PDB file of all heavy atoms in Angstrom:
ATOM      1  N   LEU A 384     -18.764  -0.303  -2.382  1.00 94.00           N
ATOM      2  CA  LEU A 384     -17.504  -0.931  -1.990  1.00 94.00           C
ATOM      3  C   LEU A 384     -17.371  -2.338  -2.585  1.00 94.00           C
ATOM      4  O   LEU A 384     -16.364  -2.631  -3.246  1.00 94.00           O
ATOM      5  CB  LEU A 384     -17.375  -0.959  -0.468  1.00 94.00           C
ATOM      6  CG  LEU A 384     -15.998  -1.285   0.118  1.00 94.00           C
ATOM      7  CD1 LEU A 384     -15.876  -0.735   1.533  1.00 94.00           C
ATOM      8  CD2 LEU A 384     -15.732  -2.792   0.150  1.00 94.00           C
ATOM      9  N   PRO A 385     -18.342  -3.245  -2.385  1.00 95.00           N
ATOM     10  CA  PRO A 385     -18.194  -4.572  -2.996  1.00 95.00           C
ATOM     11  C   PRO A 385     -18.150  -4.515  -4.520  1.00 95.00           C
ATOM     12  O   PRO A 385     -17.466  -5.344  -5.147  1.00 95.00           O
ATOM     13  CB  PRO A 385     -19.416  -5.352  -2.492  1.00 95.00           C
ATOM     14  CG  PRO A 385     -20.368  -4.325  -1.988  1.00 95.00           C
ATOM     15  CD  PRO A 385     -19.558  -3.172  -1.539  1.00 95.00           C
ATOM     16  N   ALA A 386     -18.850  -3.547  -5.126  1.00 96.00           N
ATOM     17  CA  ALA A 386     -18.818  -3.435  -6.590  1.00 96.00           C
ATOM     18  C   ALA A 386     -17.415  -3.072  -7.063  1.00 96.00           C
ATOM     19  O   ALA A 386     -16.947  -3.571  -8.094  1.00 96.00           O
ATOM     20  CB  ALA A 386     -19.824  -2.388  -7.061  1.00 96.00           C
ATOM     21  N   PHE A 387     -16.731  -2.222  -6.314  1.00 97.00           N
ATOM     22  CA  PHE A 387     -15.362  -1.858  -6.696  1.00 97.00           C
ATOM     23  C   PHE A 387     -14.417  -3.045  -6.546  1.00 97.00           C
ATOM     24  O   PHE A 387     -13.595  -3.312  -7.429  1.00 97.00           O
ATOM     25  CB  PHE A 387     -14.859  -0.679  -5.857  1.00 97.00           C
ATOM     26  CG  PHE A 387     -13.427  -0.338  -6.164  1.00 97.00           C
ATOM     27  CD1 PHE A 387     -13.127   0.506  -7.218  1.00 97.00           C
ATOM     28  CD2 PHE A 387     -12.385  -0.881  -5.428  1.00 97.00           C
ATOM     29  CE1 PHE A 387     -11.805   0.803  -7.539  1.00 97.00           C
ATOM     30  CE2 PHE A 387     -11.065  -0.599  -5.738  1.00 97.00           C
ATOM     31  CZ  PHE A 387     -10.777   0.244  -6.790  1.00 97.00           C
ATOM     32  N   ILE A 388     -14.490  -3.745  -5.410  1.00 97.00           N
ATOM     33  CA  ILE A 388     -13.609  -4.895  -5.194  1.00 97.00           C
ATOM     34  C   ILE A 388     -13.841  -5.944  -6.273  1.00 97.00           C
ATOM     35  O   ILE A 388     -12.891  -6.532  -6.816  1.00 97.00           O
ATOM     36  CB  ILE A 388     -13.835  -5.501  -3.798  1.00 97.00           C
ATOM     37  CG1 ILE A 388     -13.516  -4.453  -2.703  1.00 97.00           C
ATOM     38  CG2 ILE A 388     -12.971  -6.743  -3.607  1.00 97.00           C
ATOM     39  CD1 ILE A 388     -12.080  -3.988  -2.679  1.00 97.00           C
ATOM     40  N   GLU A 389     -15.101  -6.172  -6.625  1.00 97.00           N
ATOM     41  CA  GLU A 389     -15.422  -7.127  -7.685  1.00 97.00           C
ATOM     42  C   GLU A 389     -14.818  -6.680  -9.012  1.00 97.00           C
ATOM     43  O   GLU A 389     -14.225  -7.477  -9.747  1.00 97.00           O
ATOM     44  CB  GLU A 389     -16.938  -7.266  -7.828  1.00 97.00           C
ATOM     45  CG  GLU A 389     -17.381  -8.207  -8.935  1.00 97.00           C
ATOM     46  CD  GLU A 389     -18.900  -8.248  -9.100  1.00 97.00           C
ATOM     47  OE1 GLU A 389     -19.608  -7.613  -8.295  1.00 97.00           O
ATOM     48  OE2 GLU A 389     -19.357  -8.907 -10.054  1.00 97.00           O
ATOM     49  N   ALA A 390     -14.946  -5.376  -9.312  1.00 97.00           N
ATOM     50  CA  ALA A 390     -14.398  -4.853 -10.567  1.00 97.00           C
ATOM     51  C   ALA A 390     -12.876  -4.971 -10.591  1.00 97.00           C
ATOM     52  O   ALA A 390     -12.285  -5.277 -11.632  1.00 97.00           O
ATOM     53  CB  ALA A 390     -14.823  -3.398 -10.750  1.00 97.00           C
ATOM     54  N   TRP A 391     -12.227  -4.752  -9.428  1.00 97.00           N
ATOM     55  CA  TRP A 391     -10.760  -4.852  -9.369  1.00 97.00           C
ATOM     56  C   TRP A 391     -10.326  -6.279  -9.690  1.00 97.00           C
ATOM     57  O   TRP A 391      -9.392  -6.494 -10.479  1.00 97.00           O
ATOM     58  CB  TRP A 391     -10.259  -4.446  -7.991  1.00 97.00           C
ATOM     59  CG  TRP A 391      -8.772  -4.221  -7.949  1.00 97.00           C
ATOM     60  CD1 TRP A 391      -8.118  -3.032  -8.021  1.00 97.00           C
ATOM     61  CD2 TRP A 391      -7.753  -5.236  -7.849  1.00 97.00           C
ATOM     62  NE1 TRP A 391      -6.754  -3.228  -7.975  1.00 97.00           N
ATOM     63  CE2 TRP A 391      -6.501  -4.569  -7.872  1.00 97.00           C
ATOM     64  CE3 TRP A 391      -7.761  -6.617  -7.742  1.00 97.00           C
ATOM     65  CZ2 TRP A 391      -5.287  -5.246  -7.784  1.00 97.00           C
ATOM     66  CZ3 TRP A 391      -6.552  -7.310  -7.674  1.00 97.00           C
ATOM     67  CH2 TRP A 391      -5.334  -6.624  -7.687  1.00 97.00           C
ATOM     68  N   PHE A 392     -10.967  -7.248  -9.097  1.00 97.00           N
ATOM     69  CA  PHE A 392     -10.570  -8.640  -9.332  1.00 97.00           C
ATOM     70  C   PHE A 392     -10.919  -9.077 -10.756  1.00 97.00           C
ATOM     71  O   PHE A 392     -10.194  -9.900 -11.347  1.00 97.00           O
ATOM     72  CB  PHE A 392     -11.209  -9.568  -8.299  1.00 97.00           C
ATOM     73  CG  PHE A 392     -10.408  -9.706  -7.038  1.00 97.00           C
ATOM     74  CD1 PHE A 392     -10.699  -8.943  -5.926  1.00 97.00           C
ATOM     75  CD2 PHE A 392      -9.345 -10.589  -6.962  1.00 97.00           C
ATOM     76  CE1 PHE A 392      -9.952  -9.061  -4.755  1.00 97.00           C
ATOM     77  CE2 PHE A 392      -8.594 -10.723  -5.812  1.00 97.00           C
ATOM     78  CZ  PHE A 392      -8.886  -9.954  -4.707  1.00 97.00           C
ATOM     79  N   GLU A 393     -11.990  -8.551 -11.329  1.00 97.00           N
ATOM     80  CA  GLU A 393     -12.289  -8.846 -12.727  1.00 97.00           C
ATOM     81  C   GLU A 393     -11.175  -8.312 -13.621  1.00 97.00           C
ATOM     82  O   GLU A 393     -10.748  -8.974 -14.580  1.00 97.00           O
ATOM     83  CB  GLU A 393     -13.633  -8.222 -13.129  1.00 97.00           C
ATOM     84  CG  GLU A 393     -14.846  -8.944 -12.582  1.00 97.00           C
ATOM     85  CD  GLU A 393     -16.134  -8.254 -12.979  1.00 97.00           C
ATOM     86  OE1 GLU A 393     -16.061  -7.215 -13.688  1.00 97.00           O
ATOM     87  OE2 GLU A 393     -17.213  -8.734 -12.582  1.00 97.00           O
ATOM     88  N   TYR A 394     -10.694  -7.122 -13.301  1.00 97.00           N
ATOM     89  CA  TYR A 394      -9.591  -6.555 -14.076  1.00 97.00           C
ATOM     90  C   TYR A 394      -8.329  -7.393 -13.878  1.00 97.00           C
ATOM     91  O   TYR A 394      -7.598  -7.659 -14.848  1.00 97.00           O
ATOM     92  CB  TYR A 394      -9.339  -5.098 -13.654  1.00 97.00           C
ATOM     93  CG  TYR A 394      -8.321  -4.405 -14.533  1.00 97.00           C
ATOM     94  CD1 TYR A 394      -8.720  -3.740 -15.685  1.00 97.00           C
ATOM     95  CD2 TYR A 394      -6.958  -4.440 -14.230  1.00 97.00           C
ATOM     96  CE1 TYR A 394      -7.791  -3.114 -16.512  1.00 97.00           C
ATOM     97  CE2 TYR A 394      -6.022  -3.832 -15.048  1.00 97.00           C
ATOM     98  CZ  TYR A 394      -6.447  -3.167 -16.192  1.00 97.00           C
ATOM     99  OH  TYR A 394      -5.518  -2.570 -17.009  1.00 97.00           O
ATOM    100  N   ALA A 395      -8.061  -7.821 -12.652  1.00 97.00           N
ATOM    101  CA  ALA A 395      -6.885  -8.641 -12.374  1.00 97.00           C
ATOM    102  C   ALA A 395      -6.933  -9.947 -13.166  1.00 97.00           C
ATOM    103  O   ALA A 395      -5.905 -10.424 -13.659  1.00 97.00           O
ATOM    104  CB  ALA A 395      -6.789  -8.933 -10.882  1.00 97.00           C
TER     105      ALA A 395
END
Side-chain angles (χ1 to χ4, degrees):
L384 194 157
F387 176 85
I388 299 297
E389 178 184 355
W391 193 98
F392 273 97
E393 286 178 0
Y394 187 89

